[in-house]
Amino acid sequence: MLEQRIQQNFIDSADLKYQASQVLSKPIAAAVQAVLTCITGGGKVLACGNGGSAADAQHFAAEFVGRYERERPELSAIALTTDSSILTAIANDYDFKVVFSRQVRALGSPGDILLAISTSGSSANVLAAVEAAHEREMVVIGLTGRGGGKMGQSLRDTDVHICVPSERTARIQEVHILTLHCICDAVDAQLLGDQDVST
């Protein structure tokens, strides 16, 4: 019984990933182009999210500043979820809703990218960060699920919306991390040339 439940999780995840590959390849390619334009122009990626999405933001920044699978120069990315003093000061002095937006206004510049991650698409502090990014003339790459929520409505034509076709948080997060890996892989391929990294 337990093993069947575990196997079903694998099957459900694989099925969604296969389905999502058909739907998301185009917006993921658009996200790659936006990231390439940003970093080759001297810009940076600011990433934010809550809970598991915060971990995804940090995971992405680590692979950009460090490396993904190939040796390459460092790429500029900052996870807005990591500085406990900034997060607690802003949450205490203002409101938790603005913990990301104040950082975006402080650190963001025109041409930078905000990577906004929210499985529901309706996290208040992520939505505030999107608004702040638009004020700074930044491009937003929104990673959502559940139909896109409020973020889907707030994104502009110049932004990129990657909305996982699922209602389940765990499955959405699994596709989000695969999406971030696709972005890292494609950026490396564009900067360094194609290379088979399957072995």
Side-chain angles (χ1 to χ4, degrees):
M1 185 71 175
L2 178 58
E3 288 185 15
Q4 288 178 335
R5 187 176 184 89
I6 291 167
Q7 290 170 7
Q8 191 61 51
N9 275 303
F10 274 84
I11 291 166
D12 291 347
S13 183
D15 285 348
L16 176 60
K17 286 173 181 172
Y18 181 78
Q19 177 190 352
S21 71
Q22 312 298 311
V23 177
L24 300 183
S25 57
K26 187 172 183 177
I28 293 172
V32 170
Q33 290 304 318
V35 170
L36 284 167
T37 299
C38 169
I39 61 176
T40 57
K44 60 188 171 296
V45 180
L46 305 180
C48 67
N50 297 289
S53 298
D56 288 346
Q58 292 162 216
H59 187 148
F60 176 82
E63 290 175 334
F64 246 50
V65 176
R67 67 176 180 190
Y68 178 56
E69 292 183 320
R70 300 164 64 181
E71 291 296 336
R72 55 146 168 77
E74 304 82 357
L75 302 176
S76 184
I78 303 169
L80 304 181
T81 55
T82 59
D83 191 319
S84 60
S85 294
I86 287 176
L87 293 171
T88 55
I90 293 172
N92 183 62
D93 295 346
Y94 300 95
D95 189 275
F96 192 70
K97 180 181 175 182
V98 298
V99 293
F100 300 138
S101 58
R102 289 189 71 86
Q103 293 185 75
V104 170
R105 290 189 183 96
L107 302 171
S109 300
D112 287 347
I113 284 178
L114 174 68
L115 178 61
I117 310 172
S118 171
T119 56
S120 68
S122 297
S123 301
N125 53 9
V126 177
L127 292 170
V130 170
E131 182 180 341
H134 287 156
E135 291 173 13
R136 287 288 186 264
E137 298 177 25
M138 298 167 60
V139 171
V140 177
I141 298 173
L143 268 63
T144 68
R146 298 181 187 163
K150 294 178 181 177
M151 192 192 304
Q153 301 164 19
S154 67
L155 294 177
R156 298 175 174 174
D157 291 341
T158 51
D159 297 327
V160 180
H161 189 197
I162 301 169
C163 181
V164 179
S166 177
E167 297 293 318
R168 292 186 62 188
T169 298
R171 300 289 88 87
I172 295 165
Q173 289 175 331
E174 289 159 6
V175 176
H176 279 179
I177 195 61
L178 177 57
T179 296
L180 295 175
H181 283 165
C182 287
I183 293 171
C184 290
D185 174 70
V187 166
D188 281 4
Q190 293 295 309
L191 293 176
L192 304 173
D194 287 327
Q195 181 184 40
D196 184 5
V197 292
S198 61
T199 56

